[in-house]
Amino acid sequence: MLQEKFKNTEIILASQSPRRQELLKGLDINFKIETRPVNEVYSNDLKGAQITDYLSVLKADAFINDLKDDQLLITSDTIVWFNDAPLEKPKNDQHAIDMITSMSGQVHEVFTSVCFTSTTQQAVINDCTKVHFANLTAAEIEYYVKTYRPMDKAGAYGIQDWLGYAAVTRLEGCYYNVMGLPLPKVYGFLKSL
């Protein structure tokens, strides 16, 4: 469906995340992957989706002067929001263990923003999913971190791997949003262009 719509448009996904790449492929559109280094720093005043909105636009800014008329750039950012603070990617094993321990038996939110940039317009969409975690033992948390190495994941876990299977008892919102791309919203936006 989208392939025909974008047959004269080169879509660029600016993400090294294998999960985002896999999800976007699932919408049956052709795209290339290109990333550029971005210093992901934001003001402490920003909360929740404001952070991911800002960072997804910041990632697009790295390309803004090089986009051609037939290109559409997609940038994205995901954070875990817990106790009124962002949980980003863990710095090391202990940091990952501490993050998961704090979320054990609790509810956290996952925010993802997606920025669509062309030479004529820029738009940002976002989504929020509430994730309910079961109580986890210290041994389970340590096993997960040592075995699955979740260092590239916001909040130190992937919903699509062992911890997601073992700990997520309930979701309020989009599953794919927790993986890093709110697919129904992305599809709806692309369809509307």
Side-chain angles (χ1 to χ4, degrees), residues 74-175:
I74 301 175
T75 53
S76 188
D77 194 77
T78 301
I79 60 163
V80 170
W81 187 257
F82 181 64
N83 281 346
D84 209 31
L87 298 182
E88 290 155 346
K89 293 172 186 170
K91 295 174 178 57
N92 52 45
D93 283 9
Q94 190 55 53
H95 190 210
I97 288 168
D98 292 346
M99 275 190 206
I100 298 168
T101 301
S102 72
M103 292 187 291
S104 174
Q106 304 289 321
V107 179
H108 62 270
E109 293 173 308
V110 178
F111 290 96
T112 298
S113 296
V114 185
C115 180
F116 301 88
T117 307
S118 70
T119 53
T120 56
Q121 67 173 9
Q122 185 173 67
V124 180
I125 62 171
N126 61 53
D127 205 357
C128 174
T129 304
K130 285 189 176 178
V131 183
H132 297 250
F133 261 18
N135 286 304
L136 295 159
T137 66
E140 286 169 329
I141 294 167
E142 195 167 317
Y143 166 80
Y144 175 70
V145 171
K146 298 266 188 270
T147 307
Y148 287 87
R149 315 293 311 143
M151 300 302 142
D152 65 332
K153 295 176 177 75
Y157 81 95
I159 193 166
Q160 71 286 354
D161 65 25
W162 188 88
L163 197 77
Y165 307 150
V168 175
T169 59
R170 190 164 148 235
L171 282 181
E172 295 174 61
C174 177
Y175 171 83

